[in-house]
């Protein structure tokens, strides 16, 4: 096995161009497990840990929208500590990743490149309409998160491309994330769900994880809830949501899933759980939007 360790980003892009089959290593929390269990044996490893710019984040503006550009090498622990106010849904999801040691090593960019349907960071990125910045020696491009995942552990990345950064809009309303696993920590998700309220544009974002071949939004549920809130003038005069709205929202979220039976749970259980998670996270987010201090800023367990 060849081991490449570029000292800068341009060297990394050249190495990937010359070795398109090379497996990038950022935190190594996915790759090293697969190597240790002999599930993969790549001919070349491309170590990105020396590249400082991948560990930086900055505030930007894209099409008039305040955003955060997160370098692909920023670990989960820093997302929690440094971006919890600007990107609360992503910070909530990051808190559920592995152990403190894993959160110190694992990166959002590595999670995206692995493209696991159970990746904890994916649902809040979908709920925020994030964009993935890819780069190669040929140039750079951005892909909407909804177009990035193409299959189980497959992405729209070209063989010579690397994930450079993720662009995430700054939240303008409450966000929530909830996860079900076979235990409370150190576990791969049975299913996950994220919701984001966008009162500035009267919109709703969602993201499902571990419930289909790829992470995906519940677009029908988003459209239903946004229309229901607008028709009832709830954005400007927020009141308790009728049970009919939360129930229907949960049904539409469950309908968006395409789960399977596996060792962590059955398809039927995942469908039921998503319906429950959708109702709960909507209730928490809406209570926060209404200004209920009992709920504001908290993360709930499922």
């Amino acid at each position: 096995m060849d081991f490449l360790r570029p000292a800068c980003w341009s060297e990394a892009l050249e190495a990937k161009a010359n070795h398109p089959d090379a497996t990038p290593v950022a935190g190594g929390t996915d790759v090293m497990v697969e190597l240790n269990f002999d599930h993969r044996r790549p001919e070349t490893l491309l170590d990105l840990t020396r590249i400082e710019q991948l560990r930086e984040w900055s505030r930007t503006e894209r099409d008039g929208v305040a955003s955060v550009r997160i370098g692909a090498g920023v670990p989960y622990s820093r997302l929690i500590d440094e971006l919890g106010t600007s990107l609360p849904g992503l910070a909530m999801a990051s808190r559920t990743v592995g152990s403190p040691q894993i959160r110190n090593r694992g990166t959002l960019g590595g999670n995206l490149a692995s493209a696991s349907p159970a990746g904890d960071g994916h649902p809040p990125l979908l709920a925020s309409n994030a964009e993935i910045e890819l780069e190669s020696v040929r140039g750079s491009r951005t892909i909407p998160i909804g177009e990035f995942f193409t299959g189980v552990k497959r992405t729209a990345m070209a063989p010579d491309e690397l994930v450079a950064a993720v662009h995430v809009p700054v939240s303008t309303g409450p966000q929530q994330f909830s996860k079900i696993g076979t235990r409370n920590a150190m576990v791969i998700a049975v299913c996950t769900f994220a919701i984001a309220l966008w009162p500035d544009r009267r919109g709703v974002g969602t993201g499902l994880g571990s419930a289909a071949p790829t992470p995906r939004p519940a677009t029908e549920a988003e459209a239903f809830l946004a229309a229901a809130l607008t028709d009832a003038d709830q954005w400007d005069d927020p009141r308790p949501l009728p049970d009919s709205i939360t129930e229907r929202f949960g049904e539409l979220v469950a309908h968006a899933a395409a789960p399977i039976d596996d060792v962590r749970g059955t398809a039927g259980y995942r469908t039921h759980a998503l319906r429950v998670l959708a109702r709960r996270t909507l209730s928490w987010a809406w209570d926060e939007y209404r200004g209920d201090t009992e709920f504001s800023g908290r993360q709930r367990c499922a």
Side-chain angles (χ1 to χ4, degrees), residues 1 10 52-53 62 117 124 147 153 174 219 237 241 286 288:
M1 182 184 298
S10 60
E52 186 66 28
Q53 72 184 72
R62 296 176 66 81
E147 301 174 10
K153 296 192 174 183
T219 53
D237 183 21
L241 291 178
W286 190 250
E288 183 179 343

Side-chain angles (χ1 to χ4, degrees), residues 76 80 90-99 103 119-121 177-179 184-189 192 299-300:
Y76 290 108
I80 298 167
L90 184 58
M92 289 177 183
S94 298
R95 292 188 187 100
T96 73
V97 174
S99 63
R103 292 192 290 272
D120 294 320
F177 173 85
S178 200
K179 173 179 177 177
N184 285 336
M186 295 287 290
V187 65
I188 299 174
T192 56
Q299 179 187 10
R300 269 58 162 209

Side-chain angles (χ1 to χ4, degrees), residues 52-75:
E52 186 66 28
Q53 72 184 72
L54 293 182
R55 297 193 295 274
E56 299 172 349
W57 65 267
S58 60
R59 300 189 182 276
T60 63
E61 189 171 297
R62 296 176 66 81
D63 300 324
V65 176
S67 300
V68 178
R69 182 186 184 275
I70 305 171
V74 175

Side-chain angles (χ1 to χ4, degrees), residues 229-243:
L229 295 175
T230 301
D231 292 345
D233 196 29
Q234 287 273 33
W235 292 111
D236 296 321
D237 183 21
R239 303 174 300 282
L241 291 178
D243 290 342

Side-chain angles (χ1 to χ4, degrees), residues 104-127:
N104 283 334
R105 290 289 302 177
T107 66
L108 187 62
N111 199 217
L112 284 165
S114 297
S116 168
D120 294 320
H122 304 153
L125 294 180
L126 285 163

Side-chain angles (χ1 to χ4, degrees), residues 254-288:
H255 181 70
I260 61 171
D261 296 333
D262 64 15
V263 295
R264 297 193 303 278
T266 65
Y269 176 74
R270 285 184 163 99
T271 301
H272 169 74
L274 282 169
R275 184 180 293 110
V276 174
L277 293 186
R279 294 198 307 261
R280 289 181 181 177
T281 53
L282 171 57
S283 297
W284 299 335
W286 190 250
D287 285 334
E288 183 179 343

Side-chain angles (χ1 to χ4, degrees), residues 39-166:
H39 292 164
R40 293 179 63 187
R41 189 58 57 179
E43 294 184 2
T44 306
L45 289 178
L46 178 59
D47 180 12
L48 303 177
T49 57
R50 295 175 64 190
I51 302 173
E52 186 66 28
Q53 72 184 72
L54 293 182
R55 297 193 295 274
E56 299 172 349
W57 65 267
S58 60
R59 300 189 182 276
T60 63
E61 189 171 297
R62 296 176 66 81
D63 300 324
V65 176
S67 300
V68 178
R69 182 186 184 275
I70 305 171
V74 175
Y76 290 108
S77 58
R78 289 184 57 201
L79 298 179
I80 298 167
D81 295 339
E82 301 171 23
L83 292 171
T85 301
S86 299
L87 309 175
L90 184 58
M92 289 177 183
S94 298
R95 292 188 187 100
T96 73
V97 174
S99 63
Q101 296 91 333
I102 296 297
R103 292 192 290 272
N104 283 334
R105 290 289 302 177
T107 66
L108 187 62
N111 199 217
L112 284 165
S114 297
S116 168
D120 294 320
H122 304 153
L125 294 180
L126 285 163
S128 297
N129 291 319
E131 294 184 324
I132 314 304
E133 180 182 332
L134 305 177
E135 193 166 351
S136 70
V137 294
R138 298 177 288 108
S140 63
R141 62 182 178 129
T142 58
I143 298 181
I145 183 72
E147 301 174 10
F148 182 73
F149 304 106
T150 60
V152 178
K153 296 192 174 183
R154 297 200 307 271
T155 72
M157 295 173 61
D160 64 340
E161 287 182 319
L162 293 171
V163 177
V166 186

